[in-house]
Amino acid sequence: MILVDRLSDQRFAVSGARVMRVRDYLALDHGVRNRRVINLCQSYEYLSRGYYCSLLAAARAERVIPEADVLLDLNWKRLQKTARSELSPQIIDALAKSGHGPEQAPDHIDVYFGRTADKRFRQIAERAFDQFRCPILRLHLNRQDRKILREIEAPSLGQLDDSNLAEFEAALRAYLRGRVRKQGNVTPPTALVAILHDPDEVLPPSDKEALANFVQAASDLGAKAELITAKDFHHLSEFDALLIRETTALDHHTYRFAKRAVKEGIPVIDDPDSMLRCTNKVYLAELLRTHRIPAPKSAIFDKRRITEIAQQFSFPSVLKVPDGCFSRGVRKVKSPEHLNEVATEMFKNSELLVIQEYVETTFDWRIGVLGGEPIFASRYFMAPGHWQIVKHEDDGKSFEEGGFETVAVEDAPADIVSTALAAARLMGDGLYGVDVKETPHGPMVIEVNDNPNIDAGVEDVVLGMDLYRRIIAHLLGKIARP
């Protein structure tokens, strides 16, 4: 749905989109849940018809651009201050890379759906659109000021001349590409799924073959999946669901993707709440203790309690930074003196640390849980001559892994599976990998991972393609339907 003040404002046809006058839209008694609405009103001022269109679209559970809070941000100049401070040096850097100084900058940069015709400022356009998701943005520049970005404005469609209009039309069509149903006998996909990955990641949660299996699984279910990367952030709203297959962290674009998906009404695995709960080992340790989930003895401490902790724990013990992953940020300490040395170094990057009793086993169970139900059971064996599953070399790039064995869930020890399910259900109803040690005293939960490995020939040994289809089907089942 494209909203305009007058039908004549929309000077070109867009296949697959309906154009409606603002007054007709405001008079509707209901919306269409999850419909995409592009608001091209002449004015976005507070309490204007344009503002009310965005406000009502959100209330009707429609996915509108721009959202009402974006309009408030644009109209309240103080809220632009941070954006101007961030983008100004990037604009100057873009000019320098093209061999120009600030004095050779244009008067303004026009941005249409995150795109601009000036190649020098393409990344600037994407970042501006990430912060102010508005169909048309105009970045006014001041060549005489080191903070070169003077103001961010949202012009109306009527302010564009013929050449600008052609650029806007191309950007609009690109923005809608892949979402417009094609004519003919080809059955359109029921949903478009984005799979976020990093092709350069050393230890990705899914290898290339597994990613291809996810794409095939979506096709098997009548949907379509596309692989995307971090640079596709401003395209996220074009999809119906998001599957993150890149190592997650809170201070990372994976978390921003998850947060954006939730704001857009797009179901996502991993959801931001699961990331928050699982990524931080301080939170996890306290959660397991509160709910009496069996786990190795652990404690959360700050630098003032190092001596006290050394008296409370036997050695060796395991020391963890709150947000380590893939065996990184985890150290084995051999004595009180070693604890003091390692903890002092780790405290440079974290206010709190977690110490955990060391439980020696030759393997860890990894129970995959989806929507509160087990979907795979694997044994991960320790790396040769090492106490962890993954042994990282000093160069930060090389690593060595132990072997694995995947069995049918019903063939895994029942107490291991039930303990894993109890831990996972504390996190949510998404996809988790629960690491459990099998000890003479019963199961012990070591970790709950929000982004578990799904690799071809490893976790899928028992279920095969059905594992991928179950994950995609779970995601598709959360898409809001009209």
Side-chain angles (χ1 to χ4, degrees):
M1 177 75 74
I2 297 176
L3 303 181
V4 292
D5 289 276
R6 297 180 303 272
L7 293 180
S8 59
D9 291 343
Q10 180 65 29
R11 289 176 270 171
F12 53 85
V14 181
S15 176
R18 179 185 177 189
V19 180
M20 179 179 280
R21 293 182 302 180
V22 170
R23 66 184 187 186
D24 295 329
Y25 179 78
L26 293 175
L28 294 176
D29 57 6
H30 68 279
V32 177
R33 187 177 183 84
N34 221 34
R35 174 171 58 188
R36 298 176 72 203
V37 176
I38 298 175
N39 180 355
L40 297 180
C41 292
Q42 290 184 359
S43 174
Y44 293 138
E45 292 294 324
Y46 181 56
L47 302 184
S48 67
R49 288 192 300 177
Y51 173 79
Y52 277 121
C53 278
S54 289
L55 199 63
L56 283 178
R60 293 167 176 170
E62 296 179 318
R63 291 157 58 182
V64 63
I65 176 174
E67 295 176 334
D69 61 343
V70 170
L71 300 182
L72 291 175
D73 290 351
L74 284 167
N75 289 320
W76 193 10
K77 304 305 181 185
R78 286 180 58 192
L79 295 180
Q80 291 194 23
K81 185 176 180 181
T82 301
R84 293 200 306 269
S85 297
E86 291 178 356
L87 292 174
S88 286
Q90 295 172 17
I91 292 172
I92 292 173
D93 185 53
L95 285 166
K97 287 179 179 178
S98 64
H100 301 116
E103 66 282 354
Q104 295 169 292
D107 292 330
H108 61 266
I109 304 168
D110 278 347
V111 178
Y112 309 125
F113 295 98
R115 296 169 171 83
T116 184
D118 193 327
K119 296 180 180 179
R120 297 175 297 176
F121 304 117
R122 284 184 174 173
Q123 287 188 336
I124 308 299
E126 292 176 2
R127 288 166 182 159
F129 186 63
D130 288 345
Q131 295 185 54
F132 301 101
R133 296 183 65 77
C134 207
I136 307 172
L137 291 170
R138 180 162 289 169
L139 312 185
H140 293 276
L141 306 184
N142 184 350
R143 303 185 186 99
Q144 309 306 319
D145 194 333
R146 64 183 182 84
K147 289 187 177 180
I148 192 171
L149 179 53
R150 175 170 55 85
E151 184 184 3
I152 303 173
E153 180 195 8
S156 70
L157 192 60
Q159 292 176 254
L160 304 184
D161 60 27
D162 289 342
S163 62
N164 294 144
L165 190 65
E167 294 170 12
F168 175 81
E169 179 182 356
L172 173 59
R173 294 187 188 283
Y175 181 71
L176 296 174
R177 190 173 298 129
R179 304 281 298 142
V180 179
R181 296 192 170 190
K182 296 179 180 179
Q183 302 298 318
N185 297 323
V186 178
T187 302
T190 57
L192 190 59
V193 180
I195 301 177
L196 178 64
H197 78 303
D198 177 0
D200 299 320
E201 188 171 0
V202 176
L203 273 173
S206 285
D207 57 18
K208 290 182 180 179
E209 187 176 347
L211 292 175
N213 288 341
F214 277 118
V215 173
Q216 181 60 50
S219 179
D220 293 345
L221 295 169
K224 179 182 178 182
E226 293 182 8
L227 298 180
I228 65 170
T229 63
K231 65 181 177 61
D232 295 307
F233 185 82
H234 64 290
H235 292 300
L236 184 57
S237 63
E238 301 171 23
F239 294 89
D240 298 297
L242 171 64
L243 176 65
I244 298 177
R245 290 282 82 202
E246 181 177 351
T247 302
T248 56
L250 298 183
D251 57 344
H252 191 248
H253 66 259
T254 49
Y255 186 66
R256 293 194 292 275
F257 265 80
K259 290 281 285 184
R260 171 61 68 179
V262 170
K263 189 170 184 179
E264 296 275 1
I266 301 170
V268 54
I269 296 176
D270 314 312
D271 64 272
D273 287 342
S274 293
M275 286 190 196
L276 187 63
R277 293 165 182 164
C278 295
T279 300
N280 194 290
K281 295 178 178 65
V282 168
Y283 178 91
L284 179 63
E286 191 65 22
L287 190 69
L288 294 177
R289 180 163 47 243
T290 298
H291 291 271
R292 301 182 182 278
I293 304 293
K297 175 184 175 183
S298 64
I300 302 163
F301 68 102
D302 60 19
K303 62 180 64 176
R304 293 173 297 181
R305 295 184 58 211
I306 293 178
T307 302
E308 177 188 344
I309 290 296
Q311 296 170 350
Q312 293 178 0
F313 280 75
S314 59
F315 294 88
S317 285
V318 178
L319 203 57
K320 302 180 178 181
V321 295
D323 58 353
C325 58
F326 282 114
S327 303
R328 295 187 180 98
V330 180
R331 297 283 299 277
K332 186 177 178 182
V333 289
K334 304 172 184 177
S335 65
E337 295 75 22
H338 194 210
L339 167 67
N340 184 72
E341 176 189 341
V342 175
T344 299
E345 182 64 26
M346 285 184 164
F347 276 128
K348 293 178 181 178
N349 298 311
S350 178
E351 292 288 333
L352 296 176
L353 296 178
V354 177
I355 187 170
Q356 192 173 69
E357 171 191 14
Y358 175 60
V359 180
E360 186 171 7
T361 57
T362 57
F363 66 86
D364 286 350
W365 279 102
R366 166 69 63 83
I367 306 299
V369 180
L370 177 69
E373 300 297 329
I375 56 172
F376 68 81
S378 297
R379 292 188 185 98
Y380 295 162
F381 293 90
M382 304 303 158
H386 192 57
W387 61 281
Q388 292 172 292
I389 293 165
V390 180
K391 179 182 180 182
H392 293 278
E393 303 299 339
D394 293 338
D395 61 9
K397 298 180 180 179
S398 306
F399 62 91
E400 187 175 10
E401 295 180 285
F404 73 93
E405 181 185 12
T406 297
V407 301
V409 169
E410 55 270 25
D411 292 336
D415 57 348
I416 293 289
V417 175
S418 62
T419 300
L421 291 177
R425 286 167 181 163
L426 295 176
M427 301 300 167
D429 69 343
L431 174 65
Y432 309 98
V434 186
D435 295 339
V436 187
K437 284 189 179 292
E438 190 174 1
T439 79
H441 306 290
M444 289 189 176
V445 174
I446 301 301
E447 202 157 53
V448 181
N449 302 277
D450 66 285
N451 192 245
N453 278 52
I454 306 288
D455 281 318
V458 183
E459 289 79 13
D460 64 0
V461 164
V462 174
L463 292 181
M465 278 299 298
D466 194 45
L467 177 63
Y468 303 95
R469 284 191 286 264
R470 289 178 66 174
I471 294 170
I472 294 294
H474 178 83
L475 194 54
L476 296 177
K478 290 182 173 295
I479 297 174
R481 301 296 181 185

